Amino acid sequence: SRIVSMGGDPDTELDILPNVDSGYSKMFQPAFSKLVCSLRDHVKFADDVDTWTKGEHKDFQKIRHSISDTLTDAKKILGAEATLSLLLEPLQQHHADCGSGKSAFDWRIAEAAYYCAKSLSRSMPFDSPLVYHLLTAIPTLPRQPELLCTSCSAAGFYSSWVAGAMERGKLPDSTMLSTLLSFISSALYDNRTAQAAAEA
């Protein structure tokens, strides 16, 4: 995806904007923040997902891939940490609502957050508390098939982050890696999630 291009070159990416003029980049940040907030809602499975046909599932996956590409572009304007923070807002609010008894856990909200987070896995700083808390929460998630598949995939996407954080001494809990590996290993024994766990 190319949200903004300069001149006539379709391969020119957004990351040239900050190099040209950081003020110019900041001018677009409010618009891109709204874009990210809008897109994060469109990756969430619908209430009637259990009635979808194979074709509807395939179309939905195509839409999510396109949104993932756009989020990768958006973080070049907003910054990776700010983009991830926006993407996790619904999950954080939902967690608070569940804790206060206002609502029951909705796996679709968590699944959407982990799906979106994957698009930023190569850009997050190794001392990011957002990533740390996101990954440490994975083993505590309900074992709903779609959520389990996406969380396993997210763990795989962030494996380089975990390795880099450990190497640099940025990981608050050294047991996180073994905990994630144990979680992924257990998913291998579930026919519904074995492929996602193997790919992680």
Side-chain angles (χ1 to χ4, degrees), residues 71-89:
L71 293 175
T72 301
D73 285 343
K75 62 92 178 169
K76 297 173 184 176
I77 291 292
L78 299 173
E81 195 84 5
T83 303
L84 184 59
S85 180
L86 289 172
L87 293 172
L88 297 183
E89 280 181 353

PDB file of all heavy atoms in Angstrom, residues 71-89:
ATOM      1  N   LEU A  71      -1.475   0.137   7.708  1.00  0.00           N
ATOM      2  CA  LEU A  71      -0.978   0.431   9.054  1.00  0.00           C
ATOM      3  C   LEU A  71       0.540   0.542   9.060  1.00  0.00           C
ATOM      4  O   LEU A  71       1.111   1.364   9.781  1.00  0.00           O
ATOM      5  CB  LEU A  71      -1.431  -0.651  10.034  1.00  0.00           C
ATOM      6  CG  LEU A  71      -2.936  -0.719  10.318  1.00  0.00           C
ATOM      7  CD1 LEU A  71      -3.248  -1.916  11.206  1.00  0.00           C
ATOM      8  CD2 LEU A  71      -3.426   0.568  10.954  1.00  0.00           C
ATOM      9  N   THR A  72       1.192  -0.284   8.254  1.00  0.00           N
ATOM     10  CA  THR A  72       2.649  -0.208   8.131  1.00  0.00           C
ATOM     11  C   THR A  72       3.062   1.147   7.583  1.00  0.00           C
ATOM     12  O   THR A  72       4.075   1.724   8.003  1.00  0.00           O
ATOM     13  CB  THR A  72       3.172  -1.324   7.214  1.00  0.00           C
ATOM     14  OG1 THR A  72       2.793  -2.593   7.751  1.00  0.00           O
ATOM     15  CG2 THR A  72       4.693  -1.276   7.104  1.00  0.00           C
ATOM     16  N   ASP A  73       2.290   1.660   6.649  1.00  0.00           N
ATOM     17  CA  ASP A  73       2.565   2.992   6.111  1.00  0.00           C
ATOM     18  C   ASP A  73       2.267   4.082   7.139  1.00  0.00           C
ATOM     19  O   ASP A  73       3.022   5.047   7.275  1.00  0.00           O
ATOM     20  CB  ASP A  73       1.724   3.245   4.853  1.00  0.00           C
ATOM     21  CG  ASP A  73       2.240   2.491   3.641  1.00  0.00           C
ATOM     22  OD1 ASP A  73       3.404   2.036   3.668  1.00  0.00           O
ATOM     23  OD2 ASP A  73       1.498   2.369   2.662  1.00  0.00           O
ATOM     24  N   ALA A  74       1.161   3.922   7.850  1.00  0.00           N
ATOM     25  CA  ALA A  74       0.745   4.946   8.811  1.00  0.00           C
ATOM     26  C   ALA A  74       1.773   5.141   9.910  1.00  0.00           C
ATOM     27  O   ALA A  74       1.991   6.272  10.377  1.00  0.00           O
ATOM     28  CB  ALA A  74      -0.607   4.565   9.412  1.00  0.00           C
ATOM     29  N   LYS A  75       2.436   4.080  10.322  1.00  0.00           N
ATOM     30  CA  LYS A  75       3.411   4.214  11.415  1.00  0.00           C
ATOM     31  C   LYS A  75       4.619   5.036  10.992  1.00  0.00           C
ATOM     32  O   LYS A  75       5.362   5.531  11.831  1.00  0.00           O
ATOM     33  CB  LYS A  75       3.830   2.838  11.945  1.00  0.00           C
ATOM     34  CG  LYS A  75       4.531   1.913  10.982  1.00  0.00           C
ATOM     35  CD  LYS A  75       6.032   2.017  10.991  1.00  0.00           C
ATOM     36  CE  LYS A  75       6.656   1.013  10.031  1.00  0.00           C
ATOM     37  NZ  LYS A  75       8.088   1.256   9.821  1.00  0.00           N
ATOM     38  N   LYS A  76       4.812   5.201   9.682  1.00  0.00           N
ATOM     39  CA  LYS A  76       5.910   6.034   9.209  1.00  0.00           C
ATOM     40  C   LYS A  76       5.625   7.515   9.440  1.00  0.00           C
ATOM     41  O   LYS A  76       6.554   8.327   9.485  1.00  0.00           O
ATOM     42  CB  LYS A  76       6.173   5.765   7.730  1.00  0.00           C
ATOM     43  CG  LYS A  76       6.621   4.335   7.452  1.00  0.00           C
ATOM     44  CD  LYS A  76       6.705   4.059   5.962  1.00  0.00           C
ATOM     45  CE  LYS A  76       7.059   2.594   5.710  1.00  0.00           C
ATOM     46  NZ  LYS A  76       7.066   2.250   4.278  1.00  0.00           N
ATOM     47  N   ILE A  77       4.363   7.839   9.596  1.00  0.00           N
ATOM     48  CA  ILE A  77       3.969   9.213   9.923  1.00  0.00           C
ATOM     49  C   ILE A  77       3.809   9.386  11.430  1.00  0.00           C
ATOM     50  O   ILE A  77       4.263  10.361  12.017  1.00  0.00           O
ATOM     51  CB  ILE A  77       2.643   9.572   9.216  1.00  0.00           C
ATOM     52  CG1 ILE A  77       2.858   9.687   7.709  1.00  0.00           C
ATOM     53  CG2 ILE A  77       2.064  10.879   9.767  1.00  0.00           C
ATOM     54  CD1 ILE A  77       3.722  10.866   7.286  1.00  0.00           C
ATOM     55  N   LEU A  78       3.167   8.420  12.084  1.00  0.00           N
ATOM     56  CA  LEU A  78       2.838   8.539  13.504  1.00  0.00           C
ATOM     57  C   LEU A  78       3.940   8.041  14.433  1.00  0.00           C
ATOM     58  O   LEU A  78       4.004   8.460  15.590  1.00  0.00           O
ATOM     59  CB  LEU A  78       1.556   7.758  13.799  1.00  0.00           C
ATOM     60  CG  LEU A  78       0.298   8.213  13.068  1.00  0.00           C
ATOM     61  CD1 LEU A  78      -0.841   7.228  13.337  1.00  0.00           C
ATOM     62  CD2 LEU A  78      -0.094   9.609  13.497  1.00  0.00           C
ATOM     63  N   GLY A  79       4.777   7.138  13.926  1.00  0.00           N
ATOM     64  CA  GLY A  79       5.742   6.461  14.779  1.00  0.00           C
ATOM     65  C   GLY A  79       5.152   5.139  15.240  1.00  0.00           C
ATOM     66  O   GLY A  79       3.936   5.020  15.437  1.00  0.00           O
ATOM     67  N   ALA A  80       5.989   4.141  15.415  1.00  0.00           N
ATOM     68  CA  ALA A  80       5.520   2.793  15.739  1.00  0.00           C
ATOM     69  C   ALA A  80       4.824   2.733  17.094  1.00  0.00           C
ATOM     70  O   ALA A  80       3.762   2.130  17.235  1.00  0.00           O
ATOM     71  CB  ALA A  80       6.693   1.817  15.700  1.00  0.00           C
ATOM     72  N   GLU A  81       5.413   3.358  18.107  1.00  0.00           N
ATOM     73  CA  GLU A  81       4.843   3.297  19.456  1.00  0.00           C
ATOM     74  C   GLU A  81       3.474   3.961  19.508  1.00  0.00           C
ATOM     75  O   GLU A  81       2.520   3.418  20.095  1.00  0.00           O
ATOM     76  CB  GLU A  81       5.792   3.965  20.454  1.00  0.00           C
ATOM     77  CG  GLU A  81       5.487   3.647  21.910  1.00  0.00           C
ATOM     78  CD  GLU A  81       6.094   2.329  22.376  1.00  0.00           C
ATOM     79  OE1 GLU A  81       6.823   1.698  21.601  1.00  0.00           O
ATOM     80  OE2 GLU A  81       5.838   1.953  23.533  1.00  0.00           O
ATOM     81  N   ALA A  82       3.344   5.123  18.876  1.00  0.00           N
ATOM     82  CA  ALA A  82       2.065   5.835  18.867  1.00  0.00           C
ATOM     83  C   ALA A  82       1.008   5.059  18.096  1.00  0.00           C
ATOM     84  O   ALA A  82      -0.162   5.011  18.490  1.00  0.00           O
ATOM     85  CB  ALA A  82       2.244   7.228  18.264  1.00  0.00           C
ATOM     86  N   THR A  83       1.420   4.429  16.988  1.00  0.00           N
ATOM     87  CA  THR A  83       0.476   3.648  16.187  1.00  0.00           C
ATOM     88  C   THR A  83      -0.025   2.442  16.967  1.00  0.00           C
ATOM     89  O   THR A  83      -1.234   2.166  16.997  1.00  0.00           O
ATOM     90  CB  THR A  83       1.131   3.182  14.876  1.00  0.00           C
ATOM     91  OG1 THR A  83       1.617   4.320  14.153  1.00  0.00           O
ATOM     92  CG2 THR A  83       0.127   2.442  14.006  1.00  0.00           C
ATOM     93  N   LEU A  84       0.887   1.727  17.614  1.00  0.00           N
ATOM     94  CA  LEU A  84       0.477   0.566  18.397  1.00  0.00           C
ATOM     95  C   LEU A  84      -0.430   0.974  19.559  1.00  0.00           C
ATOM     96  O   LEU A  84      -1.394   0.274  19.880  1.00  0.00           O
ATOM     97  CB  LEU A  84       1.700  -0.179  18.931  1.00  0.00           C
ATOM     98  CG  LEU A  84       1.407  -1.478  19.688  1.00  0.00           C
ATOM     99  CD1 LEU A  84       0.657  -2.467  18.798  1.00  0.00           C
ATOM    100  CD2 LEU A  84       2.690  -2.107  20.209  1.00  0.00           C
ATOM    101  N   SER A  85      -0.137   2.106  20.163  1.00  0.00           N
ATOM    102  CA  SER A  85      -0.969   2.593  21.260  1.00  0.00           C
ATOM    103  C   SER A  85      -2.411   2.811  20.795  1.00  0.00           C
ATOM    104  O   SER A  85      -3.367   2.435  21.491  1.00  0.00           O
ATOM    105  CB  SER A  85      -0.390   3.902  21.813  1.00  0.00           C
ATOM    106  OG  SER A  85      -1.189   4.399  22.875  1.00  0.00           O
ATOM    107  N   LEU A  86      -2.564   3.392  19.611  1.00  0.00           N
ATOM    108  CA  LEU A  86      -3.904   3.602  19.063  1.00  0.00           C
ATOM    109  C   LEU A  86      -4.590   2.268  18.771  1.00  0.00           C
ATOM    110  O   LEU A  86      -5.790   2.097  19.038  1.00  0.00           O
ATOM    111  CB  LEU A  86      -3.825   4.424  17.781  1.00  0.00           C
ATOM    112  CG  LEU A  86      -3.453   5.902  17.920  1.00  0.00           C
ATOM    113  CD1 LEU A  86      -3.227   6.521  16.540  1.00  0.00           C
ATOM    114  CD2 LEU A  86      -4.547   6.661  18.658  1.00  0.00           C
ATOM    115  N   LEU A  87      -3.838   1.328  18.248  1.00  0.00           N
ATOM    116  CA  LEU A  87      -4.399   0.026  17.891  1.00  0.00           C
ATOM    117  C   LEU A  87      -4.854  -0.759  19.110  1.00  0.00           C
ATOM    118  O   LEU A  87      -5.799  -1.559  19.029  1.00  0.00           O
ATOM    119  CB  LEU A  87      -3.377  -0.788  17.095  1.00  0.00           C
ATOM    120  CG  LEU A  87      -3.025  -0.253  15.709  1.00  0.00           C
ATOM    121  CD1 LEU A  87      -1.864  -1.040  15.119  1.00  0.00           C
ATOM    122  CD2 LEU A  87      -4.234  -0.292  14.785  1.00  0.00           C
ATOM    123  N   LEU A  88      -4.199  -0.537  20.238  1.00  0.00           N
ATOM    124  CA  LEU A  88      -4.514  -1.302  21.445  1.00  0.00           C
ATOM    125  C   LEU A  88      -5.570  -0.648  22.325  1.00  0.00           C
ATOM    126  O   LEU A  88      -6.027  -1.251  23.305  1.00  0.00           O
ATOM    127  CB  LEU A  88      -3.240  -1.526  22.267  1.00  0.00           C
ATOM    128  CG  LEU A  88      -2.141  -2.351  21.605  1.00  0.00           C
ATOM    129  CD1 LEU A  88      -0.984  -2.549  22.574  1.00  0.00           C
ATOM    130  CD2 LEU A  88      -2.669  -3.697  21.133  1.00  0.00           C
ATOM    131  N   GLU A  89      -5.978   0.566  21.991  1.00  0.00           N
ATOM    132  CA  GLU A  89      -6.957   1.272  22.811  1.00  0.00           C
ATOM    133  C   GLU A  89      -8.247   0.479  23.041  1.00  0.00           C
ATOM    134  O   GLU A  89      -8.724   0.382  24.187  1.00  0.00           O
ATOM    135  CB  GLU A  89      -7.288   2.638  22.194  1.00  0.00           C
ATOM    136  CG  GLU A  89      -6.250   3.704  22.486  1.00  0.00           C
ATOM    137  CD  GLU A  89      -6.623   5.040  21.877  1.00  0.00           C
ATOM    138  OE1 GLU A  89      -7.623   5.103  21.123  1.00  0.00           O
ATOM    139  OE2 GLU A  89      -5.921   6.025  22.146  1.00  0.00           O
TER     140      GLU A  89
END
